[in-house]
Amino acid sequence: MGYIRQEQWEQHYADGLGFRPLGAVERELLAAHVPAPEGGGRALDVGCGTGELAVHLASAGYTVDAVDFADSALARAREEHGDVQGVHWLSLDIERDDPAPLHEDGYDLVVMRLMYPFLHDRGRVLHSLGERLRKGGALVVITPLVEHTPEDRRAIALNEDEIALVTSGWETAQQLDVDGLAVLVLRGPCHADARAVEKSPTTGHALTGALAIVTDAAGRVLLGRSRRGMLELPGGKNTGPEGFAATAVRELAEETGLVAGPGDAHVLTMLLDDSHGVPRLTAVVRITNWSGELAVKEPALFDRWEWLDLHSLACAGDIFVPAAAALDAVWPGVIPTPPAVTAYPLAVDQPSVPGEPAQAVRLREAMTQTVIDGGWATDERVQDALRTVPRHRFAPEADLATAYDGGDRAVTTRRDETGRAISSVSAAWLQADMIRSLDPAPGAIVFEAGSGGYNAELLAHVTGPHGRVVTVDIDPWVVRRTRRFTTEAGSGRVTAVEADAAVGAPAHLVPRGGFDASVITYNCWDIAPAWREQLAEGGRLVLPLEIGGYTRAITFERRGQVLHARGFTYCGFVRDQGQQARSVPSVDLLQGELTLRFEHGTALPTQGVEDALRGPRHEAATGVTMGANSYFGSLQLYVATTLTGFCRLAAHRDPADGVTEIAKGQDVPAILGEASLAYLTYVQTRDGDRPEDKEWAWIVHAFGDQGPRLAEQLVATAQAWDSTVRADDNSKHTEPVLTAYPAGTPDGLLPVGHVLDKKRCRLVFQWPSHTEALPPTTRDEQVMQNGD
């Protein structure tokens, strides 16, 4: 009974055969070590067969999902146990099928009885099941042991080395013996941090070889569990004058039985390091197509070959150093701490490589529908791009559920030494909204500042087969990653460039007349002149612009030398790292209890403010209230752009210990006067069980001699916003008329409004309360808009 194919198991159960019955001692051990939680628990029986164990777990207080891929087994289970309550019989191949039928909230107990040795990708399945455990849950593996199994049936048993692999990486692993069976009770996260390790010293003056990177129809990578106790890629040393691609193809066949043609082997990178002082040169060879059936051809070297999910490599344990470096070369980021090697990437025309699990297709459709339902993807081309471009392949270090989160989650892909996110795949709704706002025409050539690959491929899909995207990033790691991922899973219409995106695209990539559209995918405090100069007349520029520290994705349209805002979206991105990167001037007050942040870029005088904060506090009501679901982002923007002396006041202590009543970790809009300060905050005025029963009121607190006057300004500003900008429908708040002029534009050429000067541009905000009596557009402004 060493067969593993599904049709063999179908016949096995159809013939009335079964497994070793569940013994009394097994029942006792399960009751003692994994009892159902008080009030009942949920269990998963993997490889349930005819259901004896599942029925026992149900009688012990569990609600059970009983899974098997043999329909004949499930038919017998339903017939024999049709009257049992609390068991759900599920037809599912735990190795290959979409796990959607499994309970989304996880399990208190997962049991694999007499089936683990029949798994092919044992490590991957064990890891994925471990991720489904609830806190305090356990995974139990019940398996025969080699020493108690006849020689002709040892394929269904585990030896000590395999037991060690099963138990490694768990917080606790307990082995119990039951009549020749091992009962392994595993708890805690199944996580052994990836670690690049070496083999024993070798001889010779230098080593050369090739490693093959192969993926299956689900996009999983092939790795072997070697006799050395580590994961390795197929590969080995060159033979004579044999080329690196030929070496990889030969070694793949000799070690795994898989066959690839010479045209399917692409040498991507040469890795240079040393092994115990001996120089080592390794070619990374990407195999894009193969045939054959996977097998262990060299049992003296390998115990088995497995297809592993890319996101699981971070906790795969020991990986041979060249293999870890090769995996990092193909998918930068999947090995959290790759070994130190010198890499020489090669210019190679590698085709894209298909492959994804059914679960990814389902989750991508669900993500798309969430974005559509939220009103962020009204354009059918954007909807089709979301459904088509495989988002998870541009964030391979994330599991599928994280990659396809349809909410407000970005996937962080790179952090600096302080842990701050510096590169990410943005939330899908925001990417969709920005592309919708950009509205590139079919065949458009689009500039993107800030790379990653996924957003660029969405743009490439929207612009169609005749479109093109030029994406620029200052981080060489991000550019390398973007190039690899767009090669692996892209359209071939994305060009990634390493440069400071603030200077625009290299001249030879800028189309005549400028880019049809441009999008910036990181927070910008300023608008780089190159973004306007390289944009075609009438073209759109979408960028997340910081205004008083509040970020809005603003859609601009170019008219001559002036950019006209056409829409605003509340958002947040990673910060700029290039020549436009900046630090915000700030002043700490009251020994670090408070911080004043001058987001407009110039610190204002704070003499006497600390003394004022130690004095009496003036309070003024605005009369402006808001409900539980009210949006007040436009109020923040209104204050930041209309009041002189604007800053932001942040609190670092709990309100009960401070003088401001601002929540710890929060900040509020404020204005400074001479030795005086006022800020706008809110208090709850009505509570209730339902959201609609709750209410808050905006109030102003002020300190110092000028505090009452400053408070009056803030009160008047809040009331003006309430009467002229705010709407009952949060999506209908009035947006300002915003225009962006080049730095140095004379005041006389600016329209009437509130001017916010940046280093490279001048922003003019015209809010409703300030534009009712505006004069007509001057001739000078008309001339400037026409670019004359």
Side-chain angles (χ1 to χ4, degrees):
M1 199 169 58
Y3 40 77
I4 59 174
R5 293 199 301 274
Q6 184 173 354
E7 60 269 22
Q8 293 175 302
W9 286 109
E10 292 284 4
Q11 191 62 49
H12 175 90
Y13 289 109
D15 291 342
L17 301 177
F19 268 108
R20 171 175 172 166
L22 184 67
V25 179
E26 286 182 82
R27 297 171 189 264
E28 292 172 3
L29 286 176
L30 290 171
H33 293 276
V34 286
E38 186 176 350
R42 182 169 288 273
L44 173 65
D45 180 7
V46 181
C48 66
T50 56
E52 182 185 19
L53 174 59
V55 170
H56 169 72
L57 293 175
S59 69
Y62 284 102
T63 299
V64 184
D65 289 341
V67 170
D68 207 295
F69 71 173
D71 290 334
S72 58
L74 294 172
R76 285 177 54 185
R78 293 187 179 100
E79 180 180 354
E80 295 172 16
H81 308 293
D83 58 341
V84 175
Q85 300 296 313
V87 180
H88 307 284
W89 307 103
L90 302 175
S91 178
L92 185 74
D93 184 339
I94 200 68
E95 289 198 78
R96 296 173 178 81
D97 289 348
D98 184 345
L102 300 184
H103 198 266
E104 61 181 9
D105 291 332
Y107 297 92
D108 301 291
L109 173 65
V110 176
V111 183
M112 306 170 73
R113 181 177 185 269
L114 305 182
M115 63 83 60
Y116 184 79
F118 297 99
L119 290 173
H120 189 280
D121 296 341
R122 297 175 183 178
R124 174 173 61 83
V125 172
L126 196 71
H127 181 268
S128 64
L129 291 175
E131 289 183 323
R132 292 185 176 275
L133 286 178
R134 295 171 176 172
K135 185 176 181 180
L139 190 151
V140 176
V141 177
I142 303 174
T143 180
L145 294 172
V146 165
E147 63 256 35
H148 301 303
T149 305
E151 188 171 350
D152 62 339
R153 301 182 63 201
R154 287 184 176 177
I156 69 168
L158 300 183
N159 59 25
E160 291 183 3
D161 291 340
E162 191 69 39
I163 293 290
L165 290 175
V166 174
T167 57
S168 66
W170 296 86
E171 188 173 292
T172 63
Q174 186 176 11
Q175 180 173 343
L176 309 168
D177 294 321
V178 182
D179 299 328
L181 298 178
V183 179
L184 309 175
V185 183
L186 312 174
R187 298 181 186 274
C190 175
H191 188 107
D193 289 342
R195 184 178 61 144
V197 295
E198 271 294 357
K199 300 178 182 178
S200 58
T202 185
T203 59
H205 299 292
L207 296 172
T208 65
L211 295 177
I213 302 284
V214 186
T215 48
D216 68 359
R220 302 179 179 116
V221 64
L222 181 63
L223 286 164
R225 177 66 64 178
S226 78
R227 292 284 182 170
R228 302 178 181 89
M230 63 182 74
L231 291 173
E232 300 187 35
L233 289 166
K237 300 176 184 178
N238 304 79
T239 299
E242 184 180 48
F244 289 109
T247 298
V249 169
R250 174 180 55 77
E251 290 283 350
L252 179 66
E254 291 176 356
E255 293 179 346
T256 72
L258 302 185
V259 178
D264 299 319
H266 308 269
V267 181
L268 303 181
T269 303
M270 302 302 298
L271 303 175
L272 179 64
D273 67 345
D274 74 272
S275 175
H276 304 282
V278 178
R280 178 169 55 194
L281 184 65
T282 306
V284 181
V285 182
R286 184 67 165 104
I287 305 296
T288 56
N289 192 27
W290 53 269
S291 61
E293 188 170 336
L294 189 62
V296 178
K297 293 292 188 179
E298 297 179 345
L301 299 177
F302 291 92
D303 288 320
R304 67 176 184 269
W305 292 95
E306 290 191 50
W307 301 102
L308 297 184
D309 292 310
L310 296 182
H311 78 268
S312 71
L313 295 178
C315 52
D318 291 349
I319 306 174
F320 182 38
V321 166
L327 292 167
D328 179 72
V330 178
W331 298 287
V334 297
I335 303 296
T337 308
V341 299
T342 300
Y344 296 92
L346 306 177
V348 57
D349 187 18
Q350 177 208 314
S352 60
V353 187
E356 64 176 350
Q359 183 185 8
V361 179
R362 173 177 58 84
L363 292 175
R364 186 160 61 248
E365 178 60 36
M367 176 198 74
T368 301
Q369 194 59 51
T370 298
V371 174
I372 294 172
D373 292 344
W376 306 110
T378 55
D379 189 307
E380 289 186 3
R381 294 181 302 154
V382 178
Q383 296 174 10
D384 188 61
L386 291 172
R387 290 191 176 100
T388 305
V389 180
R391 180 180 172 93
H392 69 286
R393 298 191 66 183
F394 297 88
E397 61 271 80
D399 61 78
L400 292 176
T402 300
Y404 285 109
D405 187 299
D408 203 22
R409 184 191 297 189
V411 182
T412 299
T413 55
R414 187 162 171 80
R415 297 182 183 274
D416 62 15
E417 60 279 0
T418 68
R420 179 175 63 99
I422 57 175
S423 187
S424 67
V425 178
S426 299
W429 73 266
L430 182 54
Q431 292 175 307
D433 182 68
M434 292 177 72
I435 295 174
R436 176 191 60 81
S437 299
L438 199 66
D439 193 25
I445 302 176
V446 181
F447 170 76
E448 180 192 46
S451 297
Y454 176 64
N455 194 67
E457 283 297 342
L458 289 176
L459 287 164
H461 191 91
V462 168
T463 57
H466 301 294
R468 182 162 58 89
V469 180
V470 177
T471 180
V472 177
D473 201 285
I474 197 171
D475 189 332
W477 183 87
V478 171
V479 174
R480 175 168 70 93
R481 180 178 164 101
T482 300
R483 288 171 178 165
R484 284 302 312 145
F485 294 170
T486 53
T487 298
E488 286 281 319
S491 61
R493 300 192 296 275
V494 174
T495 301
V497 178
E498 181 187 336
D500 187 345
V503 301
H508 69 282
L509 295 176
V510 180
R512 181 175 297 179
F515 288 103
D516 300 299
S518 298
V519 60
I520 318 302
T521 63
Y522 53 81
N523 268 21
C524 314
W525 184 80
D526 208 345
I527 303 176
W531 299 340
R532 181 188 68 250
E533 294 162 1
Q534 292 187 348
L535 185 64
E537 176 69 14
R540 288 193 169 188
L541 165 67
V542 178
L543 78 161
L545 187 61
E546 292 184 9
I547 304 167
Y550 306 115
T551 304
R552 302 292 183 270
I554 303 177
T555 303
F556 286 103
E557 188 175 288
R558 181 180 180 179
R559 297 299 176 192
Q561 294 300 303
V562 182
L563 298 174
H564 295 259
R566 301 302 186 212
F568 297 73
T569 298
Y570 183 91
C571 67
F573 283 81
V574 297
R575 302 296 295 272
D576 180 24
Q577 301 175 62
Q579 64 176 240
Q580 292 194 150
R582 56 181 290 277
S583 58
V584 178
S586 62
V587 175
D588 289 333
L589 301 171
L590 300 180
Q591 297 181 321
E593 177 184 336
L594 302 169
T595 298
L596 283 175
R597 294 173 55 86
F598 300 97
E599 300 283 356
H600 288 331
T602 302
L604 301 175
T606 59
Q607 293 88 345
V609 172
E610 280 198 335
D611 290 337
L613 287 167
R614 295 187 180 97
R617 185 177 73 193
H618 174 75
E619 185 172 309
T622 65
V624 179
T625 62
M626 61 180 178
N629 298 314
S630 296
Y631 172 69
F632 55 89
S634 62
L635 173 58
Q636 296 170 327
L637 202 64
Y638 189 75
V639 173
T641 57
T642 61
L643 287 178
T644 303
F646 169 80
C647 55
R648 289 171 69 168
L649 179 65
H652 308 297
R653 291 182 189 166
D654 292 325
D657 302 325
V659 301
T660 63
E661 295 187 7
I662 303 171
K664 181 180 179 181
Q666 300 296 313
D667 67 68
V668 295
I671 52 175
L672 270 180
E674 185 177 342
S676 301
L677 171 73
Y679 57 90
L680 183 64
T681 187
Y682 52 85
V683 295
Q684 189 165 6
T685 54
R686 194 173 67 204
D687 200 0
D689 295 332
R690 302 177 305 168
E692 56 266 33
D693 295 332
K694 301 178 186 294
E695 183 183 81
W696 290 262
W698 288 98
I699 61 172
V700 177
H701 291 168
F703 296 87
D705 293 342
Q706 294 183 357
R709 181 176 60 80
L710 296 176
E712 289 179 9
Q713 286 184 265
L714 275 176
V715 167
T717 301
Q719 291 173 343
W721 169 82
D722 188 51
S723 62
T724 62
V725 174
R726 185 181 188 181
D728 292 335
D729 184 340
N730 285 330
S731 64
K732 302 298 183 182
H733 288 274
T734 302
E735 296 169 346
V737 175
L738 170 61
T739 44
Y741 291 76
T745 301
D747 289 346
L749 297 183
L750 300 179
V752 175
H754 293 271
V755 179
L756 178 59
D757 281 312
K758 304 274 188 174
K759 183 177 180 180
R760 296 176 176 84
C761 70
R762 307 191 75 185
L763 303 176
V764 183
F765 294 85
Q766 298 171 290
W767 291 94
S769 58
H770 297 280
T771 58
E772 294 171 353
L774 284 178
T777 302
T778 65
R779 179 183 180 280
D780 288 338
E781 186 187 6
Q782 292 175 351
V783 169
M784 188 160 203
Q785 289 180 354
N786 292 330
D788 296 333

